Amino acid sequence: MPQYFPPNSNAFAKWSIIGGLIFFTLLLTCLAIYVRSYRNRVNVPVSQPIPFSHALHAGELGVDCRYCHTSVEVAASANIPPVETCMTCHSQIRQGSPRLYPLYASWDQAIPGVNDTASLEAGTNAPAPNSERLEWNRVHDLADFVYFNHSAHINKGVGCSSCHGEVNRMEGMWKNEQMSMGWCLECHKAPEKHVRPIDEVFNANYKKPTNQIALGKQLVEEYHINTDKLPQCSTCHR
Amino acid sequence: MNIDKSREILSGAREFGSDLSSSAEEKFELTVIGVAEEPEFDNTAESVQVIRERLAELDQSEGKTYWRSLEELSETEEFQAYLEQEFPRQSAPLESGLDRREFMKLLGASLALGGLTACVRPNPQEKIVPYVRAPEEIIPGKPIMYASAITQNGYAQGVLVENHNGRPTRLEGNPSQPGSMGSIDAQTTAEILRMYDPDRSKEVLQGGSSSDWDSFSEAVSSLDGNIAILTGTVTSPTLASKIDAVLNARSGAKWYQYSPQNADNVLAGSEIAFGSWIVPQYNFEEADIVLSLDADFVNSGPAKLKYARAFSDRRRVRTGEDTMNRLYMVESTPTSTGAMADHRLPMAASAVEGFAREVAAAVGLGSTDSHAALPDGWMDALVDDLTNHASVVVAGDEQPPIVHAIAAAINEAIGAVGRTVTYHKPAMAKPEIQSESIKFLVDDMNSGKIDTLVMIDSNPVYDAPADLDFAAALDNVATSIHLGLYNDETAVRSSWHVPQANELESWGDARAFDGTISIIQPQIQPIYGGKSPLEVLSLFLGTADTAYDSIRAFWQSAASGGDFNLFWNHVLYNGVVDDTASAPMRARAKSTIFDEPASHGADGIEIVFRPDPNIGSGKYSNSSWLQELPKPFTKLTWDNAALISPKLAEAEGLKSKDVINITVGDKSIDAPVWIMPGQAEKTITLHTGYGRTNAGKVGNGIGFDANVLRTNEHAHFVSASITKTRKKYKLVSTQLHGILESDGIGDRHITRGGTLADFQAHPEHPGFVHPVAHHASDLYDDFEYDGYAWGMVVDQTVCNGCNACITACQSENNIPVVGKDQVAVGREMQWLRVDAYYGGSVDNPEFFSQPVACMHCEKAPCEPVCPFGATVHDADGLNVMVYNRCGGTRYCSNNCPYKVRRFNFLQYAELEENAMALLQNPDVTVRSRGVMEKCTYCIQRIQQAYITSENEDRTIADGDVVTACQSACPTQAIVFGDINDENSEVAKVRKSKLNYGLFEELNTVPRTTYLARITNPHPSLAVASSYGSDSHGSDTHGAEEGGH
Amino acid sequence: MSTNSNPVSNSIGELYGIVAQYGSPEAIQAAARKVRDHGYTKIEAYTPFFVPDLDEDLGHKPSRLGFVVLAMGMCGFIFGFGMQWWANVEYYPLNIGGRPLNSWPNFIVITFECTILFSAFTAGLFMLAKNGLPEYYHSIFNTPGFENATRDKFFLCVEADDQNFDTSEVMSVLNSTNPETISEVER
Amino acid sequence: MALSLKRLRSLPKGETDRVIGRDARTNQFPDAGAIDDVVNAPVYVHPLKTPMWWIIGFCISLFFLSIYITSVVYLIAKGTGIWGNNIPTAWAMPIINFVWWIGIGHAGTLISAALLLFRQDWRTSINRFAEAMTIFAVVCAGLYPILHLGRPWVFYWLMPYPNTYGLFPQFRSPLAWDVFAISTYGSVSILFWFIGLIPDLATIRDRHPYKFGKIFYGTLALGWRGSAKHWQRYMRAYLLLAAISFPLVLSVHSTISFDFAVSNLPGWNNTIMPPYFVAGAVFAGFAMVLILAIPLRKVYGLEHLITMKHLDNSAKLMLATGLFVVYGYGVECFIAWYSGAETERYMLYNRVFGSDYGWAFWVLIFCNGVAIQPLWWKRVRYNVWWLFGISIIVSIGMWFERYVIVAITLTRDFLPSSWGLYVPTFWDWAMFIGSMGLFCTLFFLFIRLLPTIATSEMKETNWHLSHVGDPSLRYKENEEEL
């Protein structure tokens, strides 16, 4: 009786089985990585109408987070500052810089030489006041059914940088963490690993001390952090 | 800035596989509509213009889908045809074919089925648009409450409006306003929906074709000849003064009032009794004994919330020491008041007068030959009570004047005046008998005396008495101007229609039933460009005053001295103008009352006209919330029916859903019947407000129009004849079984109750509360709840089934409306329902109202069976439903003994960005299809309170968390709080011996418990009516209970 | 039946073994015993269906598959229960309807299923692996008429790498077992 | 040489025996190869010469399959609302069909595993296609729970794997048990089936008239050469698999029954459920075996391999399990009365005399209780027409049993205010009929591409018989063992 398959078919069969397994595992891993980091836009800077630099404002100039994000201590959301806030300085500083045009365009007053009719006639491509809204691109966008509350964290010793990273070193702005449910739970299950003294909350350069766990445990006591409620579904979902 | 949850809400449940990645801008712009509107109203006209354009755009862009979804709610032809089928549910639910969105959904879903969804669908880029100048009082994401008022039939009901970034989303009662007392009824709650309703008219119409405000004001300025103004009942001082101004300015101008729900009988009655127009106010907090002559005082009339509260306060029984009042009731058709009665007697409306005369005679007034068929000893017991206790007799608005007069006489005879009843000057700006007023108007119109008719906030073509034929008369008027929210029956027949601004959009003022004045302040600019009556009337004075101008002008002159701005801010803050309630007047009843000839009730079949308990006499016809709200006791939705008594049904061989033909004089209509236990034997109740032709997409063509049979002199009841037809009509009720004595229900001890005497006999172990000795035994150790432990107690004694809680819940929790066809297959979505049970005889049963929502069982059967872990307990012992984890196995619903879980079988929630989306509560997730949902004890409020308390480093105080249903409840039957806190109200109430858990024998350990219903029959009439208790030896059970 | 005393030895390539064909299980069993008595160890039989005791006749050791399956079954048991216990008690303890975290009665079914799954797949796949399957090319297929090995013929092969293999010896031994045919099979 | 199917069928029965050399008296094949020829004949047929009856049947199956696919697409586009499900009847036809299908599956495994352990040689004639039936039924069944989800695309959340949510399935839920039970059952069945196929695939490889056939089947056969050492391990593995599958098959339907027994509903919360469900499953399974076997042996001329004896035994098993099921009904009634609980008693009353659905109960009593009684008579058991008819009735009856248990119980449970009605919609039926299309499609492919009878086992059995002598004696023993 003749052979139906060539001699090398054995090796072929063996290796196609092994190779198949390897390929499949690799595929899954890559998929997981892609979904959890890239598609999730972790460490992917988001383009903005104005190339605002936290490194400059929060870092070099040392402006406090709360100067712009006023509601962070009292409300769920850390608000994006109104144009007014920017204009407190930029009505003088860098006045007329083309990179700030979207700002002046959204401002409701004419500024001589920047966005008033005179400068328009002068031919500079300056925008008219109220001509368009200032539209920032959202960077941290949790799912609609997640009810994150900034004030609850700020007042219990969770620092800005714990989630947002060292913003004072970021030129652009991007998601520093995965911000998936599993990631949130890491802290909600064991807050002592991350809480810091309240007066360090806005310190972007804060480094965890070596005795973090001990300190953390003590702070959890001190701040009455209810560890029973933290990991509960109802804490974030309504 | 506006990272407002609402935008995320608008974006719908993206995670749920529906494609909404499109139009992030639009979402944002919508929020800006909310945001740009600040209550301060310094907005430039230009920004308002933007809003209008936006909504117009939206209407075109999103309109189609929106209508489609409404089509499913309303009764279209296909739906009618569909109803005719023998097995409607054999055919697939009404849906159009796949449109783009669904196709994408399908695509997404099928990809997801391949497990790839996470990779292929990128997150849409959302925009954040900051304010230019941030209004300082707005903290993004934190709602602001503004005090205002909503008028019902002209009378103010105080409200607090929850306002998210300039976007009103909810109404609550205003505690400092007497017409509200902090409670709110279903209709007023639904006003918010009415404001956003995309069906509202959006432009000025001239002869039906589109026009604009300017050309209208042109036309007005060029008007001459006799002007007539028709309004509903007016209590607004400013509006009244404005009208007076017009009357003075234009010679020959006349002002008529007509509202289908009016105080004619009360006024006419006081005319007979006192010779002057005064109205009674009842102090139920003083009354031990109440006799109601067909008066539904807890659930109708401008004072219902006040009366319901006061009456119930005298019925809160917790311990054996507590006492309660006693209510005798004769009524033609079951009402919420009748359901609370200790002694209730069904009686034809026309027979009530005879009965009243008997009572009068018994207390020594006049004499009577009529003898109503009463149970033995009834009259004696009644008279005994009336004469020996602080008592009051209340006559129903639907009863003829003479009954009111007799009631007044009796009250005087039993010394009620000044104690339990006081007399006041009417709150109406211009008291009058409106049935005459409308008659004069029609006569004048027919005789051509009127050249211009201005109809403000009224719809006479639909609701004026049929015999007047208002529509025909309207043709004799050269210029008819209609100002209304909708392009309704009257609007389409008028030469001009002007869209009216909702009370949430415009300035105004109004009086409560007791005269207290509230200022109505707008929450948002008129989103459909409506105008307030004040603005329209200003045109007739040749000025272009805005409503704001008029109001301020009036109050500047009215306010007595002092710093006006101080006064003004104070008034706006409180929502009421202090010391404007009318003072009691001295009044002596005339002796001539009983000279009036007695009329005797015809003993044929009698029709009783009542405004629909949900949609009123047509004002809320287009409100899907109220259309889907199950009506008290019948639990009917989306229709009105002819309510008939079981006896009559037997006699005529009628079954529910049979169609009968009702004839009054030369008019006749077809109406489906519904058998109503406790209905007076030969009385048929017809509810008005249905059979609309121009109500809007939702309200058009539902039910039948009872007004057809309604004449001016027989506006409330009339004798009629009926014939059975072969037709059947599909009425949809959410509750099919409720007779406690029927098969397999009796011994389930679902709803429990007994008499006060029973309770006082065994104050420690009332047998009817724990008929079955229940020994909890458990294999495992229980979880400890040492933090907060939220719980609720519902007092069945004071729950009158008014449904206010359901609509409040619907508004708070973004609960969708599903439409008649879906309710028909048992898919209604309300988280909270009020079950109705009947005990005793079907002819005159005892009524039980049992609000049922999620019980938050500590040993919840629903949780262990969920494979996703989507429903679990949290540390406070709440039964949490995590929508985003839910896969929709529906096992939890199967395993729930209370069947309180609701499932999104289809995409019920509105995911399109139309005006309705602005209505959503941003603090509550909008559920997509395929997801289970249920009552959460308003967890968003609990969490809000918790976070606030934690930020302030304190614990939540009792009363910090108030659930929506609790805040709405007129009788405060719902108590909620932390049961671990010894001093909390709920903990105290739970200690009552009347406290029991529904199906507690299943050992589910529910957190929501009930207080058994206590009645207080007269000792001589006490036929021990105790439900839930076994037929014998209930006390021994009690003893057992004590044993362990 | 015809016995072929002098076989076709026109084999060019390296010899794999000498194969005799028989018509019945009994025949091959007898032959197998005989060949083995002659001290040959590298012998293998090929049959269309399972012939009981043939493996003993050939001196094969009994399979230890059973123990492997048992061991893996236990692994499955531990995995199944361990997973549930860990997820509910250690990883993310949640209050599910007031039931205890380690509500072991509810974990029985899945534990059982895991046990079954592990042992079943061990039985199947381990058998294939030990048999070296898939093995599409095998010298024995060069045997003339071997297609009948899956039909109704029974083949006995003395492999060439048997230490005391000697073509003529083997031939004579096989001949004495009255095979239907004998053939030298090359590698 | 392969006999063409046409030729085989054209011959009168006695003649067929002569051609394939079967001894009609001893029921043995002197020539083992003849078994291959008969069983594998359809497989050897060239694709282009596929018999017309097969093509027609296959197309009909495809048509129904397309109905299935259509309803699935519509379901995913619209949502579960296209079905008649509601509150309180949150589970209805999809679950009923799921239980029905999974039940049918059980006979296959039972025949191949249990009967092997009990040394019931007669099983060899029917176990192959019975196992195939099992697998296809499990496929049909397994799809239902997924499609029944409100959001089918998240079904993978039920698998325990490290995910970004940091969550696991909720292992206390019987539905989570189902996931494990059904996936285990499905995969083990397929493995068992494939292992059994290997030697037969080798046979086909060696005899297939066409090259592509040799390659195709050769690949599947994994190079099987029937060496004694392989056979030794093979038989051990096969026996172990059988020993493992037997408890598995019992556990699977018990687990399904837990979906109901573990809940707290009156009419579901019964300890009788597991045994009663398993018996019901075997009952329905053997009915389906007969429904498939009777036409199959006819069209493929396998009367001498699947003899009346086999049908007879299946019928006996059907009768036995059927009686157990009826006993189950009895116990349910007794418990309902004995519990003394109002809810339990009313549940039974409503099932039996309920105005809305009482009829369904009596339908199932007739189908499962009355219709099987004729099987006491040998004449009936030896009449294919009777057997076929009764099997059909039993299948219908078992569907109604699930209808009563699932849907009707739910319409009226604890709280009267929430009692409701349930009426299936067009789409409920479409999906049910469609799933049958799926089953038939797979089954037609099976009988075309694979040997419907385990030939190598058959040969072994045949060889055994030739030693033990008169086979009818062995059957006698079997009956006693049954």
Side-chain angles (χ1 to χ4, degrees), chain B residues 890, chain D residues 68 71-72 75 80 83 92-102 137-150 152 182 399 427-436 438:
Chain B
R890 310 193 281 294
Chain D
Y68 186 66
S71 37
V72 170
L75 170 73
T80 33
W83 292 329
M93 266 191 62
I95 296 295
I96 295 165
N97 302 339
F98 159 65
V99 180
W100 188 73
W101 275 121
I102 203 88
V138 170
V139 169
C140 293
L143 284 170
Y144 267 110
I146 295 175
L147 295 172
H148 182 257
L149 291 177
I182 293 167
W399 189 88
W427 292 107
D428 280 304
W429 293 111
M431 191 161 277
F432 183 41
I433 310 281
S435 63
M436 292 181 180
L438 175 59

Side-chain angles (χ1 to χ4, degrees), chain B residues 462-481:
Chain B
Y462 170 74
D463 59 24
D467 55 338
L468 297 180
D469 195 0
F470 191 93
L474 197 54
D475 301 338
N476 305 333
V477 178
T479 319
S480 52
I481 300 166

Side-chain angles (χ1 to χ4, degrees), chain A residues 73-74 149 151-152 155-156 223-226 229, chain B residues 142 788 790 876 940-958 960-961 978:
Chain A
E73 287 173 301
V74 291
N149 189 308
S151 69
N155 295 313
K156 294 288 181 181
Y223 300 155
H224 306 118
I225 295 174
N226 186 336
K229 279 173 76 77
Chain B
K142 286 207 164 186
Y788 303 105
W790 305 107
D876 300 352
Q940 63 279 10
R941 296 182 172 202
I942 296 176
Q943 289 300 334
Q944 200 43 259
Y946 177 70
I947 291 169
T948 316
S949 68
E950 285 295 312
N951 288 350
E952 297 163 9
D953 205 11
R954 59 174 174 86
T955 56
I956 304 177
D958 190 30
D960 280 5
V961 185
D978 175 9

Side-chain angles (χ1 to χ4, degrees), chain D residues 133-409:
Chain D
M133 178 191 81
T134 296
I135 291 161
F136 303 152
V138 170
V139 169
C140 293
L143 284 170
Y144 267 110
I146 295 175
L147 295 172
H148 182 257
L149 291 177
R151 299 193 289 155
W153 46 91
V154 301
F155 75 98
Y156 63 92
W157 286 354
L158 291 175
M159 310 296 171
Y161 72 100
N163 52 37
T164 52
Y165 313 105
L167 288 173
F168 272 88
Q170 206 281 96
F171 293 115
R172 291 174 186 77
S173 167
L175 293 180
W177 307 346
D178 285 354
V179 175
F180 282 80
I182 293 167
S183 49
T184 305
Y185 186 47
S187 49
V188 171
S189 302
I190 290 170
L191 181 75
F192 195 31
W193 189 58
F194 177 69
I195 298 286
L197 265 169
I198 291 175
D200 298 354
L201 290 168
T203 311
I204 298 178
R205 171 196 67 198
D206 293 345
R207 300 228 90 55
H208 201 284
Y210 306 104
K211 180 81 178 158
F212 65 83
K214 289 188 181 298
I215 300 302
F216 176 68
Y217 292 100
T219 316
L220 290 178
L222 304 178
W224 178 263
R225 51 187 188 274
S227 94
K229 186 63 187 169
H230 288 187
W231 272 120
Q232 180 204 40
R233 296 204 187 91
Y234 177 91
M235 287 315 282
R236 171 56 58 89
Y238 199 64
L239 204 65
L240 282 168
L241 276 171
I244 292 165
S245 306
F246 187 35
L248 173 61
V249 70
L250 298 186
S251 83
V252 169
H253 222 58
S254 305
T255 309
I256 304 297
S257 76
F258 288 156
D259 291 350
F260 308 101
V262 167
S263 83
N264 66 351
L265 287 178
W268 280 14
N269 186 354
N270 289 337
T271 44
I272 185 71
M273 282 294 194
Y276 158 51
F277 263 55
V278 171
V282 179
F283 184 43
F286 271 98
M288 187 54 89
V289 167
L290 286 172
I291 292 173
L292 296 174
I294 289 169
L296 185 69
R297 68 199 284 271
K298 192 104 207 88
V299 293
Y300 278 175
L302 303 175
E303 285 90 347
H304 31 70
L305 293 177
I306 306 175
T307 64
M308 286 317 295
K309 208 71 201 160
H310 298 104
L311 304 188
D312 177 48
N313 286 337
S314 310
K316 284 173 183 164
L317 270 169
M318 205 163 89
L319 180 59
T321 48
L323 292 173
F324 191 97
V325 170
V326 173
Y327 165 79
Y329 301 147
V331 173
E332 274 194 321
C333 303
F334 171 77
I335 292 297
W337 165 78
Y338 187 70
S339 70
E342 173 89 17
T343 47
E344 287 283 345
R345 290 182 176 181
Y346 182 74
M347 176 278 304
L348 188 75
Y349 167 84
N350 183 48
R351 268 189 195 175
V352 182
F353 307 109
S355 52
D356 301 320
Y357 299 107
W359 57 273
F361 180 81
W362 297 108
V363 170
L364 88 91
I365 287 297
F366 168 77
C367 295
N368 301 350
V370 180
I372 57 170
Q373 295 312 321
L375 293 176
W376 290 105
W377 285 277
K378 187 165 187 179
R379 175 174 295 114
V380 176
R381 294 202 304 274
Y382 271 72
N383 177 327
V384 290
W385 294 108
W386 271 97
L387 286 180
F388 194 75
I390 291 177
S391 305
I392 295 278
I393 295 176
V394 167
S395 299
I396 296 171
M398 285 312 287
W399 189 88
F400 267 97
E401 177 188 306
R402 278 66 179 249
Y403 182 72
V404 169
I405 292 176
V406 178
I408 297 178
T409 309

